[in-house]
Every structure is written in C-alpha cells, then in structure tokens.
Amino acid sequence: MFNRRGLLLAGGAIALSAGLARAQSARLFVVATFTILADLVRQVGGEGVEVSSLVGPNGDVHAYAPSPADSRKLAAARLIVENGLNLEGWISRLAKASASKARIVVASAGVSPREEHGDHDHAHGGTDPHAWQNVANAKIYVANIRDGLIAANPSGKAEYAARARAYLEKLDALDAYVRAAVAKIPADRRRIVTTHDAFGYFGQAYGIELAAPAGVSTEAAVSARDVGKIIAQIKKDKFPAVFLENVSDPRLIDQIARETGAKIGGTLYSDSLSGPDGAAGTYIDMVRHNISELTKALA
C-alpha cells in the first residue's frame, strides 16, 4: 500500500515522464540516408533535432538494402535528407512505399556535378555523386539542409541560421587547412590510388591526381583488365601510394600494392563516417583524418 510520500514520488515520476515525452515529441525528426549527411544535419539542427541515419557508421551506401524498419522511420520523419546525384537509387522507392509525408531535401542541389571518366559499369548515370569530398560543396549541402530545416520547422529559423553560419565558418577553416597541407606535398607526389573513385571532387579541388579500379561505385564489377590498367598506370606514372577505404574490400589494394611496390597508406573515409569514438566521427574529423593520412604517405 502506498503512503503519501510514495504517491507524491510516483506522481512526480509520471509528470517527469510525460514532460520528457512532450520534449521528445517537440524535436524535429529527420532521416538522413547516410552518416555524413546525418552529421551535417546535427551540426545545423542542434538539440532541437533528432536525426537517424539509414546507412550506419562504416556502411556502404552504394550496396545498401533498405529494411522494413527504414520504411517506418521515413513514415515518422518530418524531413528526409538525401545526397542526390543518383547516389541512393533506393530512396525514392522506399519513400513512396512508406507513404511518407516528409519534406525531402536533396543536399547536393546546386553543386556542379563531376562527370565520371572511364569505362566502368556503375549505377550513377555517369555522374560522380561524392560531391561532399570537396569542402566547398559541403557548404552547399549545409545551406540546403538549413533551408530544409527552416521549411519543416519555421519556429527554429533563428537557431538554424545561427548554427549554419557558425558551422560554415568552421568549413572555411577546414578548406584552408586542407589546402595548406596539400601545399606541403611535393608536386610530383600528389597522386594516389584508392579502392573506388570516391575522391574525384577532392582531387579536382585540391590538386591530387587519383586512379581507382572500381569506378565511382563499390558495386562496379572490377575485371582483370581494369586491375591490369591500374597497375600499368601506377608503374608508368610512379604513383607513390595506394589507400584502403573504410567501406571497401582491402584485397584489391593489397594485390595492386604487391604487384607495383607502391606503399599502402592508411584507411581513408569516403562514403561513411566511423562510429562516434572513431577517427572520423564527424564530417570535419573525416576530412582532417583523410588529409593527415595522405600527407603521411606522400609528403
């Protein structure tokens, strides 16, 4: 039997629980297709936004197979953030199947797309979707996310705008940091091989020559001819290093390194962040980690 104190405590607990439920329901629920976008949403949205990433840390967005749980997330979302540029071929079907009423933000809208070069089979219609690898493009992503958050929750406009401004300043500093780091690499050593062609925008923006055996998608079929061409290119142009990626099978890079004598550099983060406690827990951490690995191997 409850005494008066017990009833008061129980009543307080119920009130606290109800208050927490109201606070949680007041948060804007946003679904991002993969972790890099989810981090950008968190940076702009702050505590008033709850973010869920369909593809988790170290996951491969190219090969992702959505689950029924993903459909339920989209149905509950008030905002969906996708990359666009034909990266997530599954998102439109999933959103339709979920009967989601959420606003959709295409984060890459306004980016100047980079066309893929080469003869690899891929699923992106000839367009390289990895635009976030150029920090200037990440700034476009942030502006689109800010506008999407404001459209979904106009009462948060001032906070979203202020957080976006502060984060854009951090991205300006990040861009300068990358350019200074690349400037320290001898010009004749600014060339690398990666598992798939995820760093084209990075190379274009910062003056790094890249080669990749698997085109722009990790699902692209890699033939013996493809590997042979890469090996010949490495030997001819004296590529100093080959790099693994966190979303790719390392065996291909191991084979190329064995046959060319090129140094195996560290792991680069391309299409996904690490877990929160890893080397690339945020977008800024990812870019700083990648340039650190590149300079260690090349400079």
Side-chain angles (χ1 to χ4, degrees):
M1 185 173 183
F2 287 113
N3 57 26
R4 187 169 186 277
R5 176 180 168 79
L7 288 170
L8 288 172
L9 289 172
I14 291 169
L16 178 61
S17 177
L20 288 172
R22 285 194 298 272
Q24 289 173 348
S25 65
R27 299 174 74 196
L28 183 70
F29 182 48
V30 183
V31 173
T33 49
F34 61 108
T35 53
I36 292 168
L37 296 183
D39 177 60
L40 298 182
V41 174
R42 290 188 188 99
Q43 300 299 331
V44 178
E47 292 297 322
V49 172
E50 179 185 351
V51 188
S52 178
S53 178
L54 297 181
V55 184
N58 296 305
D60 186 352
V61 65
H62 297 282
Y64 188 67
S67 69
D70 294 333
S71 183
R72 291 191 291 272
K73 287 180 182 178
L74 293 190
R78 290 174 59 191
L79 192 69
I80 298 168
V81 181
E82 63 174 284
N83 183 75
L85 299 176
N86 298 317
L87 176 65
E88 313 99 326
W90 39 267
I91 188 61
S92 295
R93 296 189 301 273
L94 182 63
K96 184 177 180 179
S98 73
S100 175
K101 300 297 191 295
R103 291 180 176 272
I104 296 176
V105 170
V106 178
S108 66
V111 165
S112 297
R114 172 184 174 269
E115 297 303 310
E116 185 204 6
H117 301 288
D119 56 2
H120 300 291
D121 295 326
H122 52 77
H124 304 304
T127 299
D128 183 348
H130 306 87
W132 61 85
Q133 292 292 350
N134 177 354
V135 176
N137 287 339
K139 294 174 63 177
I140 295 174
Y141 281 38
V142 167
N144 289 329
I145 289 168
R146 175 202 62 208
D147 294 346
L149 289 171
I150 291 171
N153 179 31
S155 65
K157 178 178 179 178
E159 180 181 0
Y160 301 147
R163 292 184 64 89
R165 280 195 301 272
Y167 189 64
L168 289 170
E169 289 179 4
K170 292 181 180 179
L171 293 183
D172 284 336
L174 179 66
D175 183 73
Y177 176 83
V178 173
R179 293 184 185 281
V182 171
K184 296 177 182 177
I185 301 172
D188 62 347
R189 291 182 61 82
R190 296 176 191 170
R191 46 169 66 104
I192 65 169
V193 177
T194 57
T195 319
H196 85 290
D197 191 10
F199 294 93
Y201 289 93
F202 180 91
Q204 189 176 63
Y206 302 111
I208 302 289
E209 182 183 350
L210 302 112
V216 299
S217 172
T218 55
E219 292 188 293
V222 182
S223 67
R225 177 172 170 268
D226 290 330
V227 176
K229 285 171 63 178
I230 290 293
I231 288 171
Q233 183 180 358
I234 292 171
K235 290 179 176 178
K236 175 178 178 290
D237 296 332
K238 296 181 172 59
F239 278 67
V242 295
F243 287 85
L244 307 174
E245 292 173 44
N246 66 317
V247 298
S248 300
D249 188 332
R251 290 175 294 183
L252 182 60
I253 287 295
D254 287 342
Q255 176 190 349
I256 291 171
R258 283 196 309 271
E259 297 192 30
T260 62
K263 177 181 179 179
I264 294 183
T267 297
L268 302 180
Y269 287 82
S270 55
D271 298 355
S272 176
L273 301 180
S274 67
D277 298 327
T282 69
Y283 173 77
I284 288 178
D285 289 342
M286 178 191 78
V287 175
R288 291 180 70 94
H289 168 85
N290 285 349
I291 193 62
S292 175
E293 294 300 305
L294 288 170
T295 53
K296 281 192 292 187
L298 299 180

